[in-house]
């Protein structure tokens, strides 16, 4: 069976940079608090006219260009987001249309911060079995429009950014290279620890003025609980990926973790026994872009020359659901 190879990656963020001082004009917060608690200094937020699919299209075009492929060469799209442009249908078909394609499948993955790893796991299974040979895997989010930008929402509003990352995946016959394994997990007992309650069809009516007044359409989070689980489950998932491939932390050239909080990433680094130079971070610039964070970080790491052929790359993520996971990749 072939392995799955990353042919190329690309990312795109909106033009508008939002600093911590900008946020302090909108709500009761400060640069000092945000940097100390999360490590975030700036994030990018969309302007009028931007859409999640628009960001995804730009990231996809960059990845396709780098892979030397045209959109018509793709035979499947997997689109990971928790901030879709519309309630229905999912963003996948809109991206397919934007890329000038029809007929090929467009799959929507709703696994929040773990979306890209869940999507990779699906893509990898299809590529290994030969079902698809050129898969576009996208993680893209527009959080900013949904955030409560008043002091009421300050614990979440300061953390999230908008952006898109894409990867073009294909089979590789070299036995030693490519995706070695993926590992995905979920625990629905904690679904309400980080969630957007409505609009939703569990409500009757599914949307109402009262719901909007209560702020049910805003993401709410029990940050400390999410933090605690993330700090345990991410290193655990890295250990599982290493064990599955009979590897050790010393074998890792680069760990690209989901960028949710610099303090969480530092705890993952320590718990896994890695040096700082083995762990990639860019949350300082982009904030938490959920499903886009790993492909954006991966594309930047590649541009900086942080991975060479044969290096071991490990991905890990944790987020709402709770969902989490990891992947081991021989570059
Ligand atoms: O992508 C995966 C999902 N997300 C995550 O992984 C995020 C996980 N959680 C976190 O990153 C952290 O819990 C936060 C960054 C959200 C919060 O950091 P914390 O150290 O856990 O702070 P806290 O929630 O315990 O709040 C400490 C204080 C509170 O005030 P009191 O009660 O001590 O007076 C908050 O009201 O900080 C206050 N606070 C703020 N102050 C200034 C909360 N948000 C802000 C803010 N600016 N933006």
């Amino acid at each position: 069976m072939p392995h799955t190879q990353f042919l190329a990656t690309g990312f795109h963020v909106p033009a508008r940079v939002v600093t911590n001082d900008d946020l302090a004009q909108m709500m009761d917060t400060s640069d000092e608090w945000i940097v100390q608690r999360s490590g975030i200094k700036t994030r990018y937020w969309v302007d009028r006219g931007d859409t999640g699919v628009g960001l995804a299209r730009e990231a996809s075009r960059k990845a396709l260009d780098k892979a030397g492929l045209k959109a018509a060469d793709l035979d499947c799209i997997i689109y990971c987001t928790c901030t879709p442009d519309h309630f229905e249908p999912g963003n996948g078909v809109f991206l397919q249309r934007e890329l000038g394609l029809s007929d090929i499948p467009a799959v929507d993955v709703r696994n929040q911060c773990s979306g890209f790893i869940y999507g990779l796991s699906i893509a990898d299974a299809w590529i290994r079995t030969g079902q698809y040979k050129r898969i576009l895997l996208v993680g893209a989010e527009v959080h900013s429009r949904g955030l409560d930008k008043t002091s009421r929402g300050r614990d979440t509003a300061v953390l999230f950014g908008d952006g898109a990352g894409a990867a073009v995946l294909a089979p590789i016959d070299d036995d030693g290279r490519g995706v070695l394994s993926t590992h995905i997990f979920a625990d629905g007992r904690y679904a309400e620890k980080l969630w957007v309650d409505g609009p939703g069809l569990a409500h009757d009516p599914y949307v109402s003025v009262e719901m909007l007044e209560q702020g049910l359409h805003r993401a709410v989070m029990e940050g400390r609980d999410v933090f605690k689980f993330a700090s345990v489950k991410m290193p655990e998932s890295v250990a599982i990926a290493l064990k599955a491939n009979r590897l050790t932390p010393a074998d890792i050239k680069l760990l690209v973790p989901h960028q949710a909080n610099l303090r969480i990433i530092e705890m993952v680094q320590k718990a896994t026994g890695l040096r700082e130079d083995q762990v990639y971070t860019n949350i300082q610039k982009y904030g938490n872009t959920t499903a886009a964070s790993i492909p954006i970080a991966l594309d930047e790491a590649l541009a900086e020359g942080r991975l060479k052929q044969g290096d071991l790359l490990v991905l890990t993520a944790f987020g709402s659901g709770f969902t989490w996971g990891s992947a081991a990749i021989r570059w």
Side-chain angles (χ1 to χ4, degrees), residues 292-303:
S293 95
I294 287 180
I296 292 176
L298 180 57
D299 193 53
E300 282 207 330
L302 288 167

Side-chain angles (χ1 to χ4, degrees), residues 27-30 33-34 37-38 113 154-155 158-160 194 221 223-224 226-227 230 258-261 263-264 288 318-320:
M27 61 192 84
D28 180 16
T29 190
S30 65
W33 190 95
I34 300 169
R37 303 291 174 130
S38 73
C113 302
R154 66 181 182 169
D155 61 328
V158 301
L159 301 177
F160 291 95
L194 171 50
M221 173 170 72
R224 283 184 199 184
V226 181
F227 193 105
H258 165 54
Q259 310 281 312
N261 185 317
R263 287 188 295 147
I264 296 178
N288 181 350
F318 180 91
S320 157

Side-chain angles (χ1 to χ4, degrees), residues 17-29:
V17 185
V18 178
T19 65
N20 293 342
D21 289 334
D22 293 335
L23 295 179
Q25 307 284 319
M26 304 174 202
M27 61 192 84
D28 180 16
T29 190

Side-chain angles (χ1 to χ4, degrees), residues 275-304:
R275 299 181 310 273
E276 210 180 310
D277 65 280
Q278 287 174 290
V279 183
Y280 194 80
T281 63
N282 65 1
I283 186 171
Q284 300 89 338
K285 278 189 280 181
Y286 302 108
N288 181 350
T289 57
T290 316
S293 95
I294 287 180
I296 292 176
L298 180 57
D299 193 53
E300 282 207 330
L302 288 167
E304 290 169 21

Side-chain angles (χ1 to χ4, degrees), residues 54-210:
L55 302 180
R57 181 196 59 228
E58 294 311 304
S60 302
R61 283 189 179 150
K62 288 176 192 170
L64 283 165
D65 280 352
K66 282 194 234 168
L69 295 177
K70 296 195 171 12
D73 296 319
L74 297 171
D75 56 11
C76 180
I77 294 173
I78 302 178
Y79 194 128
C80 316
T81 189
C82 62
T83 54
D85 287 356
H86 305 284
F87 203 77
E88 179 191 332
N91 277 8
V93 293
F94 291 104
L95 177 63
Q96 188 218 45
R97 191 170 76 182
E98 289 274 320
L99 293 173
L101 301 173
S102 53
D103 293 339
I104 69 165
V107 181
D108 295 287
V109 171
R110 285 286 308 266
N111 289 97
Q112 303 72 245
C113 302
S114 315
F116 192 80
I117 290 180
Y118 267 71
L120 179 62
S121 187
I122 297 165
D124 182 44
W126 279 341
I127 285 176
R128 278 169 187 261
T129 56
Q131 183 153 352
Y132 300 109
K133 289 194 160 54
R134 295 276 183 275
I135 299 182
L136 176 67
L137 175 61
V138 179
E141 307 283 0
V142 172
H143 283 294
S144 57
R145 289 197 183 115
L147 297 170
D148 179 352
K149 301 184 196 78
T150 68
S151 296
R152 184 174 69 166
R154 66 181 182 169
D155 61 328
T156 51
V158 301
L159 301 177
F160 291 95
D162 304 335
V168 181
L169 306 171
I172 180 171
D173 277 330
D174 180 337
D175 226 15
R177 287 180 58 211
V179 176
L180 304 178
S181 62
T182 61
H183 309 271
I184 52 177
F185 307 95
D187 193 338
R189 286 177 299 171
Y190 304 102
E192 290 87 2
K193 293 282 181 191
L194 171 50
W195 75 322
V196 181
D197 186 353
L201 294 145
H203 296 277
D204 186 10
Y206 83 96
V207 61
S208 65
V209 172
E210 290 72 34

